[in-house]
Amino acid sequence: MNDPRAERTRARLRAALLDECADRALDEVSVAAVVRRAGLGRATFYLHYADLQALAVDACAEVVREAVEALHAWRGVPDPGDPPPPLTDFFTGLSARAHLYRPLLREGGSGPLGDLLHTELRARSRRERELVGAPRPDLISTAVAATFAGLLADWLHGAIEADPAEMAGQAWRLLIALHRAPLS
C-alpha cells in the first residue's frame, strides 16, 4: 500500500521539476532548484529519488502511458490511411515538453524513458495480440515497441522531419505493416 504522504511529496517534486523545466533544459536544472520550488529539504528528495534523472523519468512517465494508449485507440480493422486522432494529438502535444523528453529518450529510442516506453508498449501489444490469437505475439510486440520508440526519439531529436500529423500517419502505417507482416 502506498503511503499518501509519500505520494504527495513525490507529486510536489514532480510538479516542481516540470515547473523548473518550463524555462530551461533538464541538464540546466539542479536538485537544489527543485527542492526549493517544492518547499522541501534536499534529504527529503533523496528519500524518494536516487537522482534528478530518476525524478524526471517519474515525472515524464505519463507520456509513456499516453503513447501506449494513443497507439491502441482504435477498434475494428485499422485503416492505414487514418491514424487514430489520439495518436495525432499525442505527437502534437509532445512539442511543448520536447526539451524535457530529449535527454531521457535518446536518438534510436534508448535512455530511461525509451526503456520504459519499450517495456510498456511491448507488454500491451503482446497482450492484445494474444487476446485475438494473432501469430507470434512475442516477435511482433518487440518489433512494434522498438520501432515506435526509435521513431518517436528520432523525431523528437530532429532526425525525422515531419509535422505531428505527418509523423502520426507515417508511424501508424509502419506499425500496421508490422502487425500485418506475413510470418511463416
Side-chain angles (χ1 to χ4, degrees):
M1 179 184 234
N2 287 342
D3 178 358
R5 291 174 297 167
E7 183 49 43
R8 282 192 301 272
T9 299
R10 286 189 295 274
R12 284 173 63 185
L13 289 166
R14 288 189 300 264
L17 176 72
L18 294 175
D19 288 346
E20 285 293 319
C21 288
D23 300 328
R24 55 191 168 177
L26 178 62
D27 61 357
E28 297 172 7
V29 174
S30 67
V31 170
V34 170
V35 296
R36 188 173 34 254
R37 186 178 287 265
L40 298 167
R42 197 174 183 89
T44 300
F45 175 90
Y46 288 108
L47 284 173
H48 297 280
Y49 297 101
D51 54 26
L52 203 56
Q53 183 173 309
L55 169 60
V57 170
D58 188 29
C60 296
E62 185 61 29
V63 77
V64 169
R65 287 184 283 281
E66 290 170 5
V68 172
E69 290 305 316
L71 284 169
H72 293 88
W74 57 273
R75 295 292 170 249
V77 178
D79 178 359
D82 189 24
L87 185 59
T88 302
D89 295 344
F90 169 76
F91 276 101
T92 302
L94 285 179
S95 302
R97 289 201 174 140
H99 65 284
L100 177 59
Y101 303 137
R102 280 186 206 110
L104 302 171
L105 181 61
R106 293 187 285 277
E107 285 187 74
S110 66
L113 205 55
D115 295 344
L116 182 61
L117 175 59
H118 186 272
T119 299
E120 290 196 17
L121 185 53
R122 183 181 61 213
R124 174 76 178 267
S125 181
R126 183 182 180 119
R127 277 193 312 273
E128 295 216 354
R129 287 187 69 78
E130 288 172 344
L131 186 65
V132 298
R136 298 301 311 267
D138 53 342
L139 179 71
I140 298 300
S141 63
T142 295
V144 164
T147 299
F148 187 74
L151 288 172
L152 178 61
D154 286 359
W155 181 72
L156 278 174
H157 284 276
I160 298 173
E161 292 187 27
D163 68 34
E166 290 171 320
M167 192 62 209
Q170 292 170 6
W172 182 243
R173 285 186 292 281
L174 184 55
L175 295 174
I176 287 175
L178 284 172
H179 278 285
R180 293 181 176 169
L183 301 172
S184 48

